[in-house]
Amino acid sequence: MNLIGIDIGGTKCSVIIGHADEERNIQIIARDTVATKSYPDPYLMISRLQAIAEELLKQAGWDIKTVKATGISCGGPLDNIKGIVQSPPNLPGWDNIPIVKLFEKRFGIPAYVENDANACALAEWLLGAGRGTSNMIFLTFGTGMGGGLILNGRLYSGTNNLAGEVGHIRLDKTGPVGYGKAGSFEGFCSGGGIAQLAKSVIKEYLYNNKKVDFCPSEEMIEEIDTRTVALAARDGDPIALEIIKTAAEYLGQGLAILIDILNPECIVIGSIFTRNEDLFRPHIERILQQEALAPALEVCKIKPAELGESIGDYASLCVALYRDMF
């Protein structure tokens, strides 16, 4: 079947057309991208994305009547039943936008929307590291810490589409702030959170007149990010390694909670973990041995995401494909 994918993000929005074979393997045929800030008005952006989709279909020689559905991946909050985007923090002005209705009216085919963590969970489950499992958790571990849950072979969204908001779990009384909560899972285990942690540690070292090789002066502190810390850790810097160890231990604690509660076959982790698995895994496994229920841990594999930088493209197409499966 032919599919249209729409991936809406705070930095860029992409349009993808793809084809799924009988075994539901997806081939991306064409894609195009537009900077989100180019169209601050959401209705103008949606109109532009629709026009791009029509152009891609024309270039591919496809009639819209041959397309099964449109899948939309977008940051939450959103109502996936009513098809409404509800004021995502990274999309100012996108307040109660009836995105599904707008696409169905323009194209005359079914459209579906899922939050980006759920959409990425579908992609890794159908095409990536979670393929063949019935119970899988996907963790974004990027700018934030979001989660998508595949339970008993189905995407689980919860009562009002808030299932999987694991970043809000508090892991400690104090710590970096993530998801509006100090000491949260997102606070310790996200790009923004690790940067906060690093800046706090570096300030303390410099205040005590101790040398920090990868950040020798206070003026450089605000430039510190997760990539800087990871690169320094790879060079063997002891302070950077300590920062990574702290984040990894809290990641292990969060994973232990999820394993104990949901008993998954695998947990797939994206972005920061995928790029730095070797730095994180030893600490994670040590904490899991200490904290997780042994029989549940025994059947659960911790895996890096497989779809890499293309996950957003596949995610949007998988939203369309998945809805046809059930």
Side-chain angles (χ1 to χ4, degrees):
M1 67 184 73
N2 296 330
L3 306 165
I4 295 173
I6 308 292
D7 182 23
I8 299 174
T11 303
K12 62 181 177 65
C13 298
S14 300
V15 181
I16 308 96
I17 62 170
H19 179 78
D21 63 21
E22 292 181 358
E23 296 180 355
R24 297 192 172 91
N25 297 305
I26 291 179
Q27 177 186 5
I28 293 174
I29 303 300
R31 70 186 301 278
D32 200 359
T33 299
V34 58
T36 305
K37 65 180 180 181
S38 300
Y39 295 88
D41 182 286
Y43 290 95
L44 290 179
M45 173 58 85
I46 289 169
S47 179
R48 177 63 185 138
L49 296 174
Q50 291 168 336
I52 291 173
E54 290 168 343
E55 181 61 28
L56 292 179
L57 291 174
K58 182 180 178 181
Q59 292 173 6
W62 292 2
D63 189 294
I64 189 64
K65 294 178 182 178
T66 70
V67 179
K68 185 71 174 180
T70 301
I72 305 163
S73 170
C74 181
L78 53 81
D79 186 327
N80 66 338
I81 303 300
K82 296 180 179 179
I84 296 173
V85 178
Q86 302 169 317
S87 306
N90 66 336
L91 292 170
W94 287 65
D95 304 320
N96 296 314
I97 305 299
I99 194 165
V100 164
K101 184 180 293 185
L102 292 170
F103 272 93
E104 289 185 338
K105 182 178 180 180
R106 178 80 169 244
F107 293 155
I109 59 175
Y112 310 100
V113 64
E114 284 289 350
N115 76 56
D116 48 6
N118 283 354
C120 288
L122 286 173
E124 285 290 341
W125 177 52
L126 293 170
L127 307 170
R131 192 167 188 168
T133 65
S134 294
N135 297 292
M136 185 205 87
I137 300 170
F138 174 78
L139 300 179
T140 58
F141 198 9
T143 303
M145 173 58 86
L149 308 177
I150 305 294
L151 303 178
N152 293 330
R154 299 289 295 267
L155 176 67
Y156 180 73
S157 299
T159 303
N160 62 340
N161 210 47
L162 288 174
E165 296 291 354
V166 299
H168 199 249
I169 297 170
R170 192 186 297 279
L171 297 179
D172 211 331
K173 293 180 180 179
T174 60
V177 177
Y179 213 137
K181 183 185 286 186
S184 64
F185 198 175
E186 181 166 293
F188 285 108
C189 302
S190 66
I194 293 173
Q196 288 180 58
L197 178 64
K199 290 172 185 178
S200 176
V201 170
I202 292 167
K203 285 178 181 178
E204 184 175 349
Y205 270 87
L206 294 178
Y207 179 79
N208 290 298
N209 296 316
K210 295 182 179 180
K211 186 179 179 182
V212 180
D213 287 336
F214 66 96
C215 185
S217 67
E218 288 189 22
E219 290 73 20
M220 297 176 64
I221 290 177
E222 289 308 311
E223 300 176 13
I224 293 295
D225 57 16
T226 301
R227 182 175 182 273
T228 306
V229 176
L231 289 173
R234 292 194 177 282
D235 288 337
D237 185 281
I239 298 171
L241 287 168
E242 188 63 30
I243 293 166
I244 294 293
K245 177 184 176 184
T246 299
E249 287 178 343
Y250 279 105
L251 179 57
Q253 288 186 32
L255 295 179
I257 292 169
L258 296 175
I259 289 170
D260 285 358
I261 294 174
L262 296 175
N263 191 201
E265 293 168 72
C266 75
I267 300 178
V268 179
I269 314 176
S271 295
I272 293 171
F273 179 76
T274 301
R275 293 190 290 269
N276 301 284
E277 180 184 0
D278 58 325
L279 295 175
F280 279 84
R281 186 174 286 278
H283 305 297
I284 290 170
E285 291 184 346
R286 175 170 48 82
I287 296 299
L288 285 175
Q289 290 295 330
Q290 296 172 6
E291 298 292 336
L293 190 64
L297 178 59
E298 185 178 350
V299 298
C300 180
K301 295 180 180 179
I302 309 300
K303 297 183 176 182
E306 289 184 1
L307 298 178
E309 299 303 319
S310 298
I311 191 169
D313 297 344
Y314 286 110
S316 59
L317 295 172
C318 282
V319 172
L321 178 63
Y322 172 76
R323 292 302 181 183
D324 182 68
M325 292 169 61
F326 296 98

